[in-house]
């Protein structure tokens, strides 16, 4: 049995790889996934559908988005996001440890790849619901991330798989890859488990897009450390790291930050693995509008350190490290109408209300708050620090769409940790709290690839016939990442991998 190209993984990266292989000349393309059809889409299905790309502002994006009328466009403030902005965000958040050539390849191909996906009828929209606030009657976008997909990851995977079907890509579910076929140092196919037996399939090229190891509790402990077995898996339970061992068996080089991952603030009551009905709604990213306190009643992060999409991928770890591995997010009445409905709406999360901070502490004591007195003292100290800063800076205004400088730090009173922006007092009832934990999204360690072709590298160079895309790519993200760059990377390197398989097949013909 022979296919021109075999793709492993049905998520965003794998879908892009298969579409690219097909359009670049591979006649027979097979996509395999060990999941059942009910779990199609990998982690991509569970995302908000956000794509971080280089762009020149609103006018540049209007031709590819589907949710902006001419009248709406007149009330939008959306700054350009340059190549330099995107590269700097990746490098800044990684502590300058990201592979600069890999980062540049992602950034330089991000805009064109979104145009390419739009050509496959992926329904892009401006992300009003996640990345903009209404300020003075205008929609102000913030944090460099402005683009998403209608219906989030669900809409993305639906559009990509519709395109795969129309392109004639064959898809086998319940079909794990167990080994790579190698002849003369070239990967020539795969061995899969199908219908209870092993089946060898030869191919002109194999693309690994099977995700990280975040759903494997043993590998989490081995690489991330003790305690990570308690993290909840945001997405698919099938990303267990199998393909890393398979690739290593043929000489693939492992690179990147194997000790870190994308982990976010997650609903404490969410299931242990991703739920396909609510998906990303279990995210609880409203902390910049309030504060977070641990079981001892103490703050432990700077909730206003940066825009949410630059901090959320590592605050999950901060929560995991707290006593009990959970925390409480707290707001007052001034902020309740600004919290995103898809994350904090009725029926989405358990909300605890009270008319006083003392009463709120008492209620939270029933669900894990051991330091009730300290909880009250922490909020009182926070309010005093906010008031002192405002007294010294009376002309500064609270603005959630910019880094407004409103903080807990002043000449007479400073907190540790600080809240560096968006520090507003918590003093107007009713008060609300939700309980959150750590949700792991994807791991950062992976395979070394050539940034130009997405070919998997060994210690001595490219492994002929083997390519990689998506969360299996190592070296791109370290410790943290800019929100929305994961889907962009999957699409960029998936597209490259598909084209490379076709090119390699033509050269061998």
């Amino acid at each position: 049995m022979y296919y021109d190209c075999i793709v492993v993984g049905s998520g965003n990266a794998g879908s892009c790889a298969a579409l690219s292989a097909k359009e670049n000349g591979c006649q027979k393309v097979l996509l395999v996934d060990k999941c059942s059809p009910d779990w199609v889409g990998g982690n991509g299905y569970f995302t908000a559908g956000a794509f971080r790309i280089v762009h020149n502002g609103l006018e540049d994006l209007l031709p590819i988005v589907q949710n902006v009328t001419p009248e709406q466009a007149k009330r939008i403030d959306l700054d350009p996001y340059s190549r330099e902005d995107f590269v700097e965000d990746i490098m800044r958040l990684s502590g300058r440890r990201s592979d600069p050539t890999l980062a540049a390849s992602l950034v330089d191909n991000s805009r064109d790849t979104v145009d390419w996906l739009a050509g496959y009828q992926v329904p892009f929209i401006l992300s009003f619901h996640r990345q903009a606030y209404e300020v003075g009657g205008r929609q102000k976008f913030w944090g460099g991330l402005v683009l998403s997909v209608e219906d989030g990851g669900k809409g993305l995977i639906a559009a990509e798989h519709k395109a795969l079907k129309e392109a004639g890509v064959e898809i086998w579910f319940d079909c794990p890859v167990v080994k790579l076929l190698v002849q003369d140092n070239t990967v020539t196919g795969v061995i899969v488990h199908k219908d209870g037996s092993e089946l060898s399939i030869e191919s002109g090229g194999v693309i690994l897009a099977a995700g990280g190891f975040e759903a494997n509790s043993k590998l989490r402990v081995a690489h991330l450390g003790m305690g990570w077995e308690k993290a909840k898996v945001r997405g698919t339970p099938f990303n267990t790291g199998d393909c890393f061992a398979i690739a290593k068996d043929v000489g693939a080089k492992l690179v990147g930050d194997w000790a870190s991952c994308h982990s976010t603030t997650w609903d404490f009551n969410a299931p242990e693995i991703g739920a396909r009905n609510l998906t990303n709604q279990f995210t609880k990213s409203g902390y910049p509008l309030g504060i977070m306190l641990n079981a001892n009643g103490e703050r432990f992060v700077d909730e206003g350190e940066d825009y949410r999409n630059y901090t959320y991928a590592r605050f999950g770890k901060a929560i995991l490290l707290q006593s009990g591995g959970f925390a409480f997010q707290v707001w007052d009445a001034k902020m309740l109408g600004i919290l995103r409905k898809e994350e904090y709406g009725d029926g989405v999360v358990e909300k605890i209300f009270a008319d006083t901070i003392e009463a709120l502490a008492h209620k939270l004591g029933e669900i894990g708050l051991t330091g009730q007195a300290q909880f009250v003292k922490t909020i009182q100290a926070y309010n005093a620090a906010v008031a002192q800063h405002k007294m010294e800076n009376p002309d500064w205004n609270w603005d959630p769409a910019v880094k407004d400088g409103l903080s807990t730090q002043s000449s007479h009173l400073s907190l540790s940790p600080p809240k560096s922006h968006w520090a507003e007092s918590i003093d107007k009832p009713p008060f609300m709290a939700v309980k959150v934990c750590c949700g792991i999204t994807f791991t950062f360690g992976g395979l070394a690839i050539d940034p130009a072709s997405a070919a998997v590298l060994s210690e001595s160079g490219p492994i002929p016939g083997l390519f990689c895309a998506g969360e299996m790519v190592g070296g791109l993200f370290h410790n943290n990442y800019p929100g929305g760059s994961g889907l962009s990377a999957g699409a960029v390197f998936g597209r490259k991998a598909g084209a490379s398989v076709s090119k390699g097949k033509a050269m061998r013909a």
Side-chain angles (χ1 to χ4, degrees), residues 278-354:
L278 292 178
T279 61
N280 195 58
Q281 288 181 263
F282 288 120
T283 299
K284 297 293 167 274
S285 59
Y287 56 82
L289 302 175
I291 58 175
M292 289 199 291
L293 302 94
N294 60 22
N296 301 323
E298 300 168 328
R299 292 175 56 247
F300 55 94
V301 295
D302 179 351
E303 302 92 342
E305 173 189 325
D306 205 335
Y307 291 116
R308 183 266 311 163
N309 53 23
Y310 295 134
T311 60
Y312 77 116
R314 60 181 176 82
F315 275 5
K317 177 181 178 180
I319 293 171
L320 187 71
L321 295 176
Q322 302 308 303
S323 175
F326 62 84
F328 300 99
Q329 297 179 343
V330 178
W331 308 267
D332 73 356
K334 298 190 294 293
M335 299 298 166
L336 299 188
I338 308 176
L339 293 172
R340 293 206 297 269
K341 296 294 189 295
E342 65 267 29
E343 296 181 11
Y344 296 97
D346 294 339
V348 176
V349 64
E350 180 185 12
K351 295 179 279 192
I352 311 299
F353 289 96

Side-chain angles (χ1 to χ4, degrees), residues 211-213 241-249 254 258 445-447 471-472:
F213 61 84
D242 311 358
C243 283
F244 289 126
I246 291 169
K248 188 177 180 182
D249 285 343
L254 304 181
W258 284 77
L447 304 182
E471 295 168 6
M472 287 192 69

Side-chain angles (χ1 to χ4, degrees), residues 127-139:
S127 189
F128 293 107
H129 61 305
R130 294 184 61 82
Q131 292 297 140
Y133 288 111
E134 185 174 340
V135 179
R138 299 187 64 79
Q139 290 287 336

